[in-house]
């Protein structure tokens, strides 16, 4: 397969409600879409998960767009005939920028699979036609408001809820949600690196609330501190920000710092590396689940395919389109009883509403061979 050009489009999607985490509040999603056009007239879609600002990782959407336009897309175009498996090698001379690389690889992979008539789920080795999904709930102004928000999601049928926590918004809100919804609600928390070593004792007290896991309480590079917590805590310690590849995941697991792994394809450089993360975790007996980055239907479709692999035994952060967007850029994804169907069509298995994308586009550029 030959790629003739990459088109980069930036779209602005307003969020239905502001999303607050320990690293800040988001009110709109500024998304970079990558369209890979083949010489045979096939278009593959990629979504870059970089946020507007470098607050979750070093990457941010303006930078991702520039690195793709200036380095990654030209390197892939110069490769001649390519498959998705070639993209990592062709771009390996450029350090880091995993979210940017992932978006390019995803667009190439989607084009490749659409040409071959194969779904992403079968390509990756998926074994399930539906997957369990949950919702990630942001930090609220009051605990009462949090309980109301969670109630709304429980009424929508979600059975697993992830609460964002930070120092000053942890034990009390978690206790209130557990108390309001009882022992059957699958509950977990995510600190997005907001704690320091002096938070060990407080975090250990979360053991009282029967949580599925506690996600990334400490700095991304502090594997040792996560291992110390894992030793002291009954609740499994899960890593997100720390896991940048299959290699760093294996090392974190062997260090005792990662009892469950959150897999985000963008964070590890693409769906192919995400599958390798899944494979090492499975070999080391560590359960995995699919994380989210407020994706549009494009990223959501691909994440459902990934989550259909056998090691994904915990519900993913793959909520319905309506959790974030009044109108998606694909047909809306809907969760029923906390489950979602894995797309079966070629590639990511969904069509993009190009007219709607055109209406939301703030800038576009094309990189041709
Ligand atoms: O840490 O998992 C995270 C969103 C943006 C950046 C980081 C994270 C998140 C979420 C939302 O928790 C997951 C989703 O619903 O897409
Ligand atoms: Mg997280």
């Amino acid at each position: 397969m030959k790629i003739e050009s990459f088109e980069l489009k930036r779209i602005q999607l307003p969020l239905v409600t502001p999303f607050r985490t320990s690293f800040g509040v988001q009110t709109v999603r500024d998304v970079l879409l990558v369209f890979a056009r083949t010489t045979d007239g096939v278009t593959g879609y990629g979504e870059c998960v970089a946020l507007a600002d470098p607050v979750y990782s070093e990457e941010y959407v303006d930078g991702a767009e520039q690195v793709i336009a200036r380095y990654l897309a030209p390197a892939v175009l110069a490769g001649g005939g390519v498959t998705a498996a070639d993209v990592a090698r062709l771009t390996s001379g450029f350090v880091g920028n995993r979210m940017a690389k992932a978006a390019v690889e995803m667009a190439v992979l989607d084009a490749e699979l659409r040409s071959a008539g194969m779904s992403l789920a079968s390509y990756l080795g998926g074994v399930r036609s539906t997957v369990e999904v949950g919702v990630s709930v942001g930090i609220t102004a009051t605990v009462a408001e949090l309980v109301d928000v969670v109630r709304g999601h429980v009424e929508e049928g979600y059975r697993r809820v992830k609460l964002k926590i930070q120092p000053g918004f942890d034990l009390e809100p978690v206790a209130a949600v557990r108390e309001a919804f009882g022992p059957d609600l699958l509950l977990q928390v995510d600190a997005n690196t907001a704690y320091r070593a002096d938070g060990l004792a407080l975090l250990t007290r979360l053991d009282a609330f029967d949580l599925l896991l506690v996600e990334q309480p400490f700095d991304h590079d502090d594997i040792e501190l996560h291992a110390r917590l894992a030793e002291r805590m009954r609740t499994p310690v899960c890593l997100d920000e720390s896991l940048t590849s299959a290699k760093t995941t294996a090392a974190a697991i062997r260090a005792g710092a990662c009892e469950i792994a959150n897999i985000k394809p963008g964070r590890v450089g693409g769906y192919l590396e995400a599958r390798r993360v899944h494979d090492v975790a499975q070999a080391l007996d560590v359960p995995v689940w699919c994380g989210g980055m407020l994706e549009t239907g494009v990223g959501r479709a691909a994440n459902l395919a990934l989550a259909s692999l056998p090691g994904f035994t915990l519900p993913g952060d793959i909520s319905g389109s309506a959790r974030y967007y009044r109108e998606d850029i694909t047909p809306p994804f809907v969760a029923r009883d906390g489950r979602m169907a894995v797309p079966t069509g070629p590639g990511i298995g969904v069509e993009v509403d190009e007219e709607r994308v055109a209406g939301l586009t703030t800038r576009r550029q094309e990189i041709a061979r």
Side-chain angles (χ1 to χ4, degrees):
M1 179 181 77
K2 268 199 166 134
I3 309 290
E4 191 162 76
S5 67
F6 286 100
E7 192 181 1
L8 308 183
K9 285 189 191 179
R10 287 278 289 278
I11 60 167
Q12 291 265 1
L13 273 177
L15 298 182
V16 290
T17 51
F19 185 62
R20 179 178 293 280
T21 64
S22 59
F23 57 72
V25 56
Q26 290 172 263
T27 54
V28 293
R29 187 75 174 96
D30 182 341
V31 187
L32 169 62
L33 297 172
V34 178
F35 297 69
R37 317 250 188 228
T38 74
T39 50
D40 294 332
V42 174
T43 297
Y45 301 104
E47 174 169 348
C48 181
V49 299
L51 302 181
D53 303 306
V55 288
Y56 164 80
S57 72
E58 296 92 330
E59 290 187 84
Y60 61 105
V61 67
D62 282 340
E65 182 180 344
Q66 190 179 62
V67 87
I68 292 171
R70 188 161 159 186
Y71 301 105
L72 308 181
V76 174
L77 291 171
V82 292
T83 67
D86 299 316
V87 171
R89 178 181 50 80
L90 290 167
T91 59
S92 64
F94 307 111
V95 177
N97 291 285
R98 289 179 296 273
M99 291 176 179
K101 289 176 179 173
V104 172
E105 185 195 82
M106 180 181 172
V108 172
L109 181 53
D110 186 43
E112 179 181 333
L113 295 177
R114 282 179 196 267
S115 304
M118 179 188 268
S119 74
L120 180 59
S122 14
Y123 173 86
L124 292 172
V127 294
R128 283 184 278 270
S129 59
T130 67
V131 298
E132 264 191 287
V133 298
V135 61
S136 175
V137 176
I139 291 165
T140 50
T142 65
V143 170
E145 186 186 339
L146 180 70
V147 170
D148 281 348
V149 172
V150 172
R151 178 168 297 114
H153 292 307
V154 168
E155 284 169 3
E156 289 162 346
Y158 291 105
R159 295 168 187 161
R160 181 288 235 168
V161 167
K162 165 168 128 178
L163 303 179
K164 293 290 190 177
I165 60 168
Q166 66 182 12
F169 192 85
D170 40 39
L171 297 175
E172 196 198 337
V174 174
V177 169
R178 179 54 87 205
E179 167 73 23
F181 301 98
D184 289 345
L185 180 69
L186 301 177
L187 194 60
Q188 62 191 65
V189 296
D190 184 3
N192 289 109
T193 75
Y195 293 83
R196 300 291 161 260
D198 64 7
L200 273 169
L202 180 140
L203 288 164
T204 304
R205 292 170 63 194
L206 289 168
D207 273 344
F209 307 114
D210 278 310
L211 304 178
L212 281 178
L213 58 92
V214 52
E215 182 177 347
Q216 197 75 42
F218 306 121
D219 278 344
H220 72 97
D221 59 356
D222 207 337
I223 297 303
E224 199 197 327
L225 194 51
H226 285 101
R228 274 169 62 196
L229 179 66
E231 210 169 287
R232 285 172 61 160
M233 216 175 170
R234 185 170 54 84
T235 308
V237 171
C238 169
L239 295 181
D240 172 0
E241 282 87 334
S242 297
L243 307 179
T244 53
S245 64
K247 194 159 63 175
T248 57
T249 301
I253 293 171
R254 293 203 170 97
C258 180
E259 299 168 293
I260 293 178
N262 168 326
I263 301 185
K264 290 180 182 171
R267 197 193 60 224
V268 302
Y271 284 85
L272 300 189
E273 184 70 8
R275 179 173 56 184
R276 291 188 282 268
V277 175
H278 161 273
D279 294 347
V280 295
Q282 216 184 16
L284 295 170
D285 262 331
V286 162
V288 305
W289 56 284
C290 184
M293 293 290 289
L294 295 88
E295 285 88 350
T296 71
V298 171
R300 232 153 257 274
N303 284 349
L304 286 164
L306 180 67
S308 72
L309 268 65
F312 285 79
T313 53
L314 290 163
D317 273 347
I318 317 175
S319 37
S321 297
R323 187 264 175 270
Y324 290 116
Y325 306 114
R326 203 177 53 77
E327 214 184 323
D328 208 329
I329 59 170
T330 62
F333 282 91
V334 181
R336 276 200 185 63
D337 299 325
R339 300 192 74 88
M340 222 182 269
V342 178
T344 55
I348 63 171
V350 288
E351 292 312 317
V352 173
D353 183 344
E354 301 230 17
E355 218 168 281
R356 172 154 164 75
V357 167
L360 297 166
T361 298
T362 54
R363 45 181 273 129
R364 60 168 293 278
Q365 59 176 317
E366 192 168 324
I367 303 97
R369 58 161 74 238

